[in-house]
Amino acid sequence: MIFKKYQVYIAKVFIKNILVISLIFLSIAFITNLFEELKFFDNYNLGLKFPLLLTFLNSPTILFELFPFVFLIAVKFFYIQLNEKDELEIFKNNGINNIRILFLLSLVTVLVGLIILLLYYTFSSNMKRHYLLLKNNFSQENEYLAVVNENGLWIMEEIDGLSNIINAKKFNKNYVEKVTITQNNKLTNEINIINAKNADISTKNWLLNDVKIIRNLSKEKIDSITYKSTFDGEIISELFSNLNALNLFELNELSNNYSKIGYSTTEVTVHLNKLYSMPIFYLLMTILGLLIMMKFTFIKTKFFTIIAGVTVSVFVYYINYFSNLFGSNETIPVILSIWLPHLILSLICLTGGIKINEN
Protein backbone atom coordinates (compact mmCIF):
# COMPACT_ATOMS: atom_id res chain seq x y z
CA MET A 1 0.00 0.00 0.00
CA ILE A 2 1.43 3.35 -1.10
CA PHE A 3 0.53 6.31 1.10
CA LYS A 4 -0.21 9.65 -0.50
CA LYS A 5 1.81 12.72 0.40
CA TYR A 6 -0.99 14.34 2.39
CA GLN A 7 -1.47 11.13 4.39
CA VAL A 8 2.23 10.96 5.28
CA TYR A 9 2.19 14.65 6.19
CA ILE A 10 -0.86 14.34 8.47
CA ALA A 11 0.59 11.25 10.14
CA LYS A 12 3.94 12.98 10.76
CA VAL A 13 2.33 16.07 12.29
CA PHE A 14 0.09 13.96 14.53
CA ILE A 15 2.90 11.65 15.69
CA LYS A 16 5.14 14.65 16.35
CA ASN A 17 2.45 16.14 18.60
CA ILE A 18 2.06 12.80 20.40
CA LEU A 19 5.81 12.72 21.10
CA VAL A 20 5.92 16.34 22.29
CA ILE A 21 2.91 15.97 24.60
CA SER A 22 4.32 12.66 25.88
CA LEU A 23 7.59 14.34 26.81
CA ILE A 24 5.71 17.10 28.61
CA PHE A 25 3.60 14.59 30.54
CA LEU A 26 6.70 12.51 31.31
CA SER A 27 8.48 15.59 32.68
CA ILE A 28 5.51 16.41 34.90
CA ALA A 29 5.31 12.79 36.09
CA PHE A 30 9.06 12.77 36.80
CA ILE A 31 8.95 15.95 38.89
CA THR A 32 5.88 14.97 40.93
CA ASN A 33 7.19 11.44 41.55
CA LEU A 34 10.59 12.79 42.56
CA PHE A 35 8.98 14.79 45.37
CA GLU A 36 7.20 11.64 46.55
CA GLU A 37 10.43 9.65 46.58
CA LEU A 38 12.30 12.42 48.41
CA LYS A 39 9.57 12.42 51.04
CA PHE A 40 9.71 8.61 51.36
CA PHE A 41 13.51 8.59 51.85
CA ASP A 42 13.58 11.69 54.04
CA ASN A 43 14.83 9.69 57.05
CA TYR A 44 17.38 7.54 55.20
CA ASN A 45 19.98 10.23 54.36
CA LEU A 46 20.64 8.76 50.90
CA GLY A 47 21.07 12.05 49.10
CA LEU A 48 19.49 12.75 45.73
CA LYS A 49 20.91 10.00 43.49
CA PHE A 50 18.80 7.10 44.76
CA PRO A 51 15.44 8.96 44.65
CA LEU A 52 16.38 10.14 41.14
CA LEU A 53 17.08 6.56 40.08
CA LEU A 54 13.77 5.32 41.47
CA THR A 55 11.91 8.19 39.81
CA PHE A 56 13.58 7.36 36.50
CA LEU A 57 12.44 3.73 36.84
CA ASN A 58 8.87 4.56 37.87
CA SER A 59 8.08 7.43 35.50
CA PRO A 60 7.45 5.26 32.36
CA THR A 61 4.63 3.44 34.18
CA ILE A 62 3.05 6.74 35.22
CA LEU A 63 3.23 7.95 31.62
CA PHE A 64 1.56 4.74 30.41
CA GLU A 65 -1.45 5.56 32.61
CA LEU A 66 -1.57 9.05 31.09
CA PHE A 67 -1.40 8.05 27.43
CA PRO A 68 -5.18 8.35 26.80
CA PHE A 69 -4.97 12.02 27.74
CA VAL A 70 -1.78 12.41 25.68
CA PHE A 71 -3.75 11.44 22.57
CA LEU A 72 -6.60 13.76 23.55
CA ILE A 73 -4.32 16.79 23.89
CA ALA A 74 -2.13 15.82 20.92
CA VAL A 75 -5.02 15.71 18.44
CA LYS A 76 -6.20 19.10 19.65
CA PHE A 77 -2.77 20.66 19.06
CA PHE A 78 -2.64 18.86 15.71
CA TYR A 79 -5.90 20.53 14.69
CA ILE A 80 -4.75 23.97 15.83
CA GLN A 81 -1.44 23.59 13.99
CA LEU A 82 -3.16 22.76 10.70
CA ASN A 83 -5.88 25.36 11.21
CA GLU A 84 -3.38 28.18 11.87
CA LYS A 85 -1.71 27.47 8.53
CA ASP A 86 -5.08 27.19 6.73
CA GLU A 87 -4.06 23.68 5.74
CA LEU A 88 -7.45 22.25 6.71
CA GLU A 89 -9.08 24.57 4.17
CA ILE A 90 -6.54 23.52 1.54
CA PHE A 91 -7.37 19.86 2.24
CA LYS A 92 -11.10 20.55 1.80
CA ASN A 93 -10.53 22.35 -1.48
CA ASN A 94 -8.68 19.29 -2.74
CA GLY A 95 -11.45 16.87 -1.79
CA ILE A 96 -9.91 15.71 1.50
CA ASN A 97 -12.88 15.99 3.84
CA ASN A 98 -13.11 15.62 7.62
CA ILE A 99 -14.04 11.94 7.38
CA ARG A 100 -10.79 11.15 5.58
CA ILE A 101 -8.75 13.07 8.12
CA LEU A 102 -10.58 11.35 10.99
CA PHE A 103 -10.06 7.92 9.43
CA LEU A 104 -6.34 8.55 8.91
CA LEU A 105 -5.83 9.79 12.47
CA SER A 106 -7.76 6.78 13.77
CA LEU A 107 -5.51 4.41 11.81
CA VAL A 108 -2.37 6.13 13.14
CA THR A 109 -3.75 6.01 16.67
CA VAL A 110 -4.46 2.28 16.52
CA LEU A 111 -0.99 1.52 15.14
CA VAL A 112 0.74 3.71 17.74
CA GLY A 113 -1.50 2.22 20.43
CA LEU A 114 -0.44 -1.32 19.51
CA ILE A 115 3.23 -0.26 19.61
CA ILE A 116 2.67 1.25 23.05
CA LEU A 117 0.94 -1.90 24.29
CA LEU A 118 3.38 -4.43 22.85
CA LEU A 119 6.68 -2.57 23.15
CA TYR A 120 6.39 0.39 25.49
CA TYR A 121 4.38 -1.47 28.13
CA THR A 122 6.94 -4.29 28.13
CA PHE A 123 9.66 -1.69 28.69
CA SER A 124 7.74 0.16 31.43
CA SER A 125 6.81 -3.07 33.26
CA ASN A 126 10.47 -4.09 33.29
CA MET A 127 11.42 -0.70 34.72
CA LYS A 128 8.63 -0.98 37.29
CA ARG A 129 9.93 -4.38 38.38
CA HIS A 130 13.40 -2.94 39.05
CA TYR A 131 11.78 -0.02 40.86
CA LEU A 132 9.87 -2.32 43.20
CA LEU A 133 12.89 -4.55 43.84
CA LEU A 134 15.00 -1.55 44.85
CA LYS A 135 12.33 0.12 46.93
CA ASN A 136 11.34 -3.10 48.71
CA ASN A 137 14.83 -3.17 50.20
CA PHE A 138 13.62 -0.37 52.47
CA SER A 139 10.49 -2.20 53.55
CA GLN A 140 10.16 -3.07 57.21
CA GLU A 141 9.62 -6.67 56.16
CA ASN A 142 12.56 -7.14 53.81
CA GLU A 143 13.76 -10.54 55.02
CA TYR A 144 11.46 -12.50 52.78
CA LEU A 145 10.80 -13.61 49.25
CA ALA A 146 7.45 -14.73 47.86
CA VAL A 147 6.52 -16.00 44.41
CA VAL A 148 3.78 -17.92 42.66
CA ASN A 149 4.63 -20.44 39.94
CA GLU A 150 3.32 -23.69 38.51
CA ASN A 151 4.41 -25.50 41.69
CA GLY A 152 2.29 -23.32 43.94
CA LEU A 153 3.01 -20.56 46.44
CA TRP A 154 6.61 -20.24 47.65
CA ILE A 155 7.73 -18.11 50.61
CA MET A 156 11.17 -17.68 52.14
CA GLU A 157 11.51 -15.93 55.49
CA GLU A 158 13.91 -15.79 58.41
CA ILE A 159 12.55 -15.92 61.94
CA ASP A 160 14.53 -16.33 65.19
CA GLY A 161 17.59 -17.75 63.47
CA LEU A 162 15.56 -20.20 61.37
CA SER A 163 15.52 -20.01 57.59
CA ASN A 164 12.07 -21.15 56.48
CA ILE A 165 11.07 -22.17 52.98
CA ILE A 166 7.30 -22.60 52.64
CA ASN A 167 5.44 -24.23 49.77
CA ALA A 168 1.66 -24.46 49.48
CA LYS A 169 -0.03 -26.20 46.56
CA LYS A 170 -3.32 -24.33 47.00
CA PHE A 171 -3.85 -20.75 48.13
CA ASN A 172 -7.22 -19.08 48.56
CA LYS A 173 -7.24 -15.85 50.57
CA ASN A 174 -6.78 -16.95 54.22
CA TYR A 175 -6.49 -20.65 53.54
CA VAL A 176 -3.71 -22.84 52.11
CA GLU A 177 -3.54 -26.56 51.39
CA LYS A 178 -0.74 -29.15 51.17
CA VAL A 179 1.78 -27.08 53.07
CA THR A 180 5.46 -27.97 53.41
CA ILE A 181 7.75 -25.92 55.66
CA THR A 182 11.47 -26.64 55.49
CA GLN A 183 13.33 -25.13 58.44
CA ASN A 184 17.12 -24.72 58.56
CA ASN A 185 18.77 -23.74 61.85
CA LYS A 186 21.72 -21.53 60.89
CA LEU A 187 23.59 -22.29 64.11
CA THR A 188 23.29 -26.09 64.19
CA ASN A 189 22.52 -26.71 60.48
CA GLU A 190 19.67 -28.90 61.69
CA ILE A 191 16.87 -29.31 59.14
CA ASN A 192 13.23 -29.91 60.09
CA ILE A 193 10.41 -30.55 57.66
CA ILE A 194 6.80 -29.79 58.58
CA ASN A 195 4.01 -31.14 56.37
CA ALA A 196 0.41 -30.05 56.93
CA LYS A 197 -2.78 -30.95 55.12
CA ASN A 198 -4.02 -27.36 55.36
CA ALA A 199 -3.55 -24.17 57.34
CA ASP A 200 -5.54 -21.15 58.43
CA ILE A 201 -3.37 -18.08 57.66
CA SER A 202 -5.87 -15.36 58.52
CA THR A 203 -3.35 -14.12 61.12
CA LYS A 204 0.44 -14.26 61.35
CA ASN A 205 0.04 -17.19 63.73
CA TRP A 206 -0.76 -19.90 61.22
CA LEU A 207 -2.86 -22.81 62.43
CA LEU A 208 -1.53 -25.96 60.73
CA ASN A 209 -3.80 -29.02 60.72
CA ASP A 210 -3.04 -32.74 60.30
CA VAL A 211 0.68 -32.17 60.77
CA LYS A 212 3.66 -34.46 60.21
CA ILE A 213 7.07 -33.35 61.50
CA ILE A 214 10.32 -34.94 60.28
CA ARG A 215 13.16 -34.21 62.69
CA ASN A 216 16.48 -36.11 62.87
CA LEU A 217 15.08 -38.94 60.72
CA SER A 218 12.19 -39.36 63.17
CA LYS A 219 8.54 -38.68 62.31
CA GLU A 220 5.91 -37.20 64.56
CA LYS A 221 2.20 -36.74 63.91
CA ILE A 222 0.27 -33.90 65.53
CA ASP A 223 -3.33 -32.84 65.02
CA SER A 224 -2.47 -29.13 64.87
CA ILE A 225 0.33 -26.71 65.67
CA THR A 226 0.88 -22.98 65.40
CA TYR A 227 3.53 -21.57 63.09
CA LYS A 228 4.60 -17.97 63.65
CA SER A 229 5.12 -16.15 60.35
CA THR A 230 5.70 -12.62 59.08
CA PHE A 231 2.84 -13.20 56.64
CA ASP A 232 -0.90 -13.54 56.77
CA GLY A 233 -3.41 -14.00 53.97
CA GLU A 234 -3.85 -10.28 53.39
CA ILE A 235 -0.11 -9.60 53.12
CA ILE A 236 0.38 -12.48 50.69
CA SER A 237 -2.45 -11.21 48.49
CA GLU A 238 -0.96 -7.72 48.40
CA LEU A 239 2.44 -9.06 47.34
CA PHE A 240 1.08 -9.80 43.90
CA SER A 241 -1.19 -6.77 43.59
CA ASN A 242 1.19 -4.56 41.57
CA LEU A 243 0.58 -6.07 38.17
CA ASN A 244 2.20 -3.15 36.32
CA ALA A 245 5.54 -4.89 36.92
CA LEU A 246 4.55 -7.79 34.63
CA ASN A 247 4.38 -7.79 30.84
CA LEU A 248 1.57 -9.39 28.85
CA PHE A 249 3.25 -12.80 28.66
CA GLU A 250 4.01 -12.80 32.39
CA LEU A 251 0.46 -11.72 33.23
CA ASN A 252 -1.03 -14.62 31.28
CA GLU A 253 1.44 -17.00 32.90
CA LEU A 254 0.55 -15.62 36.33
CA SER A 255 -3.15 -16.12 35.61
CA ASN A 256 -2.48 -19.77 34.75
CA ASN A 257 -0.42 -20.22 37.91
CA TYR A 258 -3.15 -18.63 40.03
CA SER A 259 -5.64 -21.09 38.57
CA LYS A 260 -3.38 -24.03 39.40
CA ILE A 261 -3.11 -23.08 43.07
CA GLY A 262 -6.80 -22.19 43.42
CA TYR A 263 -6.24 -18.44 43.78
CA SER A 264 -8.66 -15.97 42.24
CA THR A 265 -7.62 -14.75 38.77
CA THR A 266 -10.11 -11.85 38.75
CA GLU A 267 -7.53 -9.16 39.45
CA VAL A 268 -5.22 -10.38 36.69
CA THR A 269 -8.12 -10.75 34.25
CA VAL A 270 -9.25 -7.19 34.99
CA HIS A 271 -5.73 -5.85 34.47
CA LEU A 272 -5.35 -7.75 31.19
CA ASN A 273 -8.67 -6.39 29.94
CA LYS A 274 -7.55 -2.87 30.81
CA LEU A 275 -4.41 -3.39 28.76
CA TYR A 276 -6.22 -4.97 25.82
CA SER A 277 -8.68 -2.07 25.78
CA MET A 278 -5.97 0.61 25.73
CA PRO A 279 -5.60 0.95 21.92
CA ILE A 280 -9.38 1.33 21.70
CA PHE A 281 -9.26 3.89 24.52
CA TYR A 282 -6.60 5.87 22.63
CA LEU A 283 -8.73 5.70 19.49
CA LEU A 284 -11.82 7.01 21.26
CA MET A 285 -9.88 9.86 22.88
CA THR A 286 -8.42 10.84 19.51
CA ILE A 287 -11.84 10.85 17.85
CA LEU A 288 -13.38 12.71 20.79
CA GLY A 289 -10.63 15.34 20.78
CA LEU A 290 -10.91 15.93 17.03
CA LEU A 291 -14.72 16.14 17.15
CA ILE A 292 -14.53 18.74 19.93
CA MET A 293 -12.18 20.88 17.83
CA MET A 294 -14.38 20.54 14.75
CA LYS A 295 -17.68 21.13 16.55
CA PHE A 296 -16.57 23.91 18.89
CA THR A 297 -14.82 26.24 16.48
CA PHE A 298 -14.28 28.92 19.13
CA ILE A 299 -11.45 26.77 20.58
CA LYS A 300 -8.62 28.19 18.51
CA THR A 301 -5.88 28.98 21.03
CA LYS A 302 -3.62 26.55 22.90
CA PHE A 303 -4.81 27.95 26.22
CA PHE A 304 -8.46 27.09 25.58
CA THR A 305 -7.34 23.79 24.10
CA ILE A 306 -5.65 22.85 27.38
CA ILE A 307 -8.70 23.98 29.37
CA ALA A 308 -11.00 21.92 27.14
CA GLY A 309 -8.61 18.97 27.38
CA VAL A 310 -8.56 19.08 31.17
CA THR A 311 -12.37 19.33 31.27
CA VAL A 312 -12.82 16.30 29.01
CA SER A 313 -10.14 14.40 30.94
CA VAL A 314 -12.00 14.98 34.20
CA PHE A 315 -15.23 13.83 32.56
CA VAL A 316 -13.60 10.64 31.25
CA TYR A 317 -11.91 10.04 34.60
CA TYR A 318 -15.24 10.07 36.44
CA ILE A 319 -16.84 7.79 33.86
CA ASN A 320 -14.05 5.27 34.53
CA TYR A 321 -14.20 5.86 38.29
CA PHE A 322 -17.91 5.20 38.65
CA SER A 323 -17.78 2.25 36.28
CA ASN A 324 -14.95 0.67 38.29
CA LEU A 325 -16.84 1.45 41.49
CA PHE A 326 -19.90 -0.41 40.23
CA GLY A 327 -17.64 -3.27 39.20
CA SER A 328 -15.91 -3.51 42.59
CA ASN A 329 -19.31 -3.48 44.31
CA GLU A 330 -20.43 -6.22 41.90
CA THR A 331 -23.36 -4.04 40.79
CA ILE A 332 -22.23 -4.89 37.27
CA PRO A 333 -19.83 -7.64 36.11
CA VAL A 334 -16.20 -6.72 36.69
CA ILE A 335 -15.18 -7.16 33.05
CA LEU A 336 -18.13 -5.03 31.91
CA SER A 337 -16.96 -2.26 34.26
CA ILE A 338 -13.74 -2.08 32.20
CA TRP A 339 -15.44 -1.90 28.80
CA LEU A 340 -18.52 0.15 29.75
CA PRO A 341 -16.68 3.54 29.69
CA HIS A 342 -15.45 2.71 26.18
CA LEU A 343 -19.02 1.94 25.12
CA ILE A 344 -20.22 5.27 26.51
CA LEU A 345 -17.40 7.14 24.75
CA SER A 346 -18.17 5.25 21.53
CA LEU A 347 -21.79 6.42 21.65
CA ILE A 348 -20.65 10.01 22.30
CA CYS A 349 -18.21 9.84 19.37
CA LEU A 350 -20.82 8.28 17.11
CA THR A 351 -23.32 11.01 17.98
CA GLY A 352 -20.75 13.76 17.51
CA GLY A 353 -19.54 12.29 14.25
CA ILE A 354 -22.89 12.64 12.52
CA LYS A 355 -22.70 15.17 9.68
CA ILE A 356 -19.03 15.81 10.51
CA ASN A 357 -18.36 17.00 6.96
CA GLU A 358 -20.76 19.91 7.44
CA ASN A 359 -18.25 21.62 9.74
Side-chain angles (χ1 to χ4, degrees):
M1 180 179 179
I2 300 176
F3 292 97
K4 297 179 180 179
K5 288 185 178 181
Y6 84 88
Q7 294 174 324
V8 174
Y9 176 73
I10 289 176
K12 282 184 177 179
V13 174
F14 184 44
I15 292 174
K16 181 181 177 181
N17 277 278
I18 292 174
L19 292 175
V20 171
I21 301 301
S22 295
L23 287 174
I24 294 173
F25 273 61
L26 181 61
S27 300
I28 296 173
F30 187 91
I31 294 171
T32 55
N33 188 243
L34 178 59
F35 283 115
E36 292 182 10
E37 299 299 341
L38 288 172
K39 184 178 180 181
F40 180 86
F41 291 103
D42 187 43
N43 297 323
Y44 288 95
N45 296 320
L46 294 175
L48 187 60
K49 289 184 179 180
F50 196 73
L52 277 172
L53 173 61
L54 289 180
T55 302
F56 173 76
L57 294 173
N58 194 40
S59 295
T61 298
I62 300 175
L63 177 62
F64 180 79
E65 300 293 335
L66 296 174
F67 267 127
F69 309 109
V70 168
F71 280 89
L72 177 69
I73 301 296
V75 76
K76 289 174 174 290
F77 277 80
F78 160 85
Y79 185 90
I80 288 178
Q81 186 173 339
L82 265 61
N83 192 53
E84 287 177 345
K85 298 178 181 179
D86 293 324
E87 290 175 330
L88 291 174
E89 193 64 30
I90 295 174
F91 287 149
K92 288 181 181 180
N93 293 334
N94 285 274
I96 304 169
N97 56 27
N98 292 336
I99 287 292
R100 287 191 179 185
I101 295 174
L102 181 59
F103 177 79
L104 180 57
L105 292 180
S106 298
L107 179 61
V108 172
T109 298
V110 171
L111 292 176
V112 174
L114 290 174
I115 292 173
I116 291 173
L117 178 61
L118 298 176
L119 298 181
Y120 180 86
Y121 180 75
T122 301
F123 164 76
S124 69
S125 64
N126 187 48
M127 299 282 277
K128 186 71 172 184
R129 184 184 299 112
H130 289 296
Y131 167 81
L132 293 173
L133 288 173
L134 288 174
K135 196 165 185 178
N136 283 344
N137 291 327
F138 296 87
S139 170
Q140 294 180 352
E141 298 174 342
N142 59 354
E143 296 297 326
Y144 63 74
L145 174 66
V147 68
V148 170
N149 59 29
E150 65 276 6
N151 295 317
L153 171 68
W154 291 88
I155 296 174
M156 184 178 71
E157 58 182 350
E158 294 185 6
I159 302 175
D160 299 330
L162 293 176
S163 178
N164 302 290
I165 298 177
I166 306 168
N167 174 233
K169 299 298 182 184
K170 296 287 184 180
F171 168 51
N172 187 7
K173 293 184 179 179
N174 295 321
Y175 191 77
V176 289
E177 296 181 14
K178 297 180 181 180
V179 185
T180 300
I181 303 174
T182 303
Q183 296 181 316
N184 180 21
N185 192 315
K186 289 186 175 181
L187 296 178
T188 64
N189 288 326
E190 179 182 351
I191 296 177
N192 300 326
I193 299 176
I194 303 173
N195 294 316
K197 184 177 181 180
N198 54 63
D200 181 348
I201 61 171
S202 56
T203 68
K204 292 183 179 180
N205 293 317
W206 295 12
L207 181 61
L208 279 62
N209 301 309
D210 196 0
V211 181
K212 295 179 182 179
I213 302 176
I214 301 175
R215 182 187 295 114
N216 295 328
L217 301 179
S218 63
K219 296 182 179 180
E220 180 182 3
K221 292 185 177 181
I222 304 175
D223 290 337
S224 63
I225 62 170
T226 300
Y227 169 76
K228 184 179 179 182
S229 174
T230 56
F231 291 87
D232 56 29
E234 182 179 357
I235 293 174
I236 293 173
S237 298
E238 289 177 351
L239 287 174
F240 313 109
S241 62
N242 201 318
L243 300 176
N244 285 319
L246 303 176
N247 60 40
L248 291 174
F249 174 79
E250 291 167 335
L251 285 167
N252 282 286
E253 186 178 21
L254 181 65
S255 180
N256 293 331
N257 291 334
Y258 276 3
S259 297
K260 290 177 181 178
I261 67 172
Y263 186 55
S264 173
T265 61
T266 300
E267 189 176 357
V268 182
T269 302
V270 168
H271 189 71
L272 280 170
N273 273 268
K274 284 183 178 179
L275 293 177
Y276 295 149
S277 69
M278 277 300 175
I280 298 175
F281 196 7
Y282 303 154
L283 173 62
L284 292 172
M285 295 298 274
T286 296
I287 295 174
L288 183 62
L290 188 61
L291 289 177
I292 289 173
M293 298 303 292
M294 290 180 173
K295 293 288 184 180
F296 301 98
T297 55
F298 64 88
I299 304 177
K300 295 181 179 179
T301 66
K302 294 181 180 180
F303 174 77
F304 284 110
T305 298
I306 294 173
I307 296 299
V310 171
T311 303
V312 174
S313 299
V314 171
F315 172 72
V316 172
Y317 170 81
Y318 277 107
I319 289 179
N320 279 284
Y321 173 79
F322 285 114
S323 181
N324 292 333
L325 185 64
F326 290 143
S328 61
N329 292 334
E330 297 184 353
T331 305
I332 60 176
V334 176
I335 302 303
L336 178 60
S337 70
I338 303 301
W339 291 94
L340 182 59
H342 303 329
L343 178 60
I344 295 173
L345 289 176
S346 298
L347 294 174
I348 294 174
C349 291
L350 183 61
T351 303
I354 296 174
K355 298 180 180 180
I356 187 176
N357 282 324
E358 294 182 2
N359 294 289

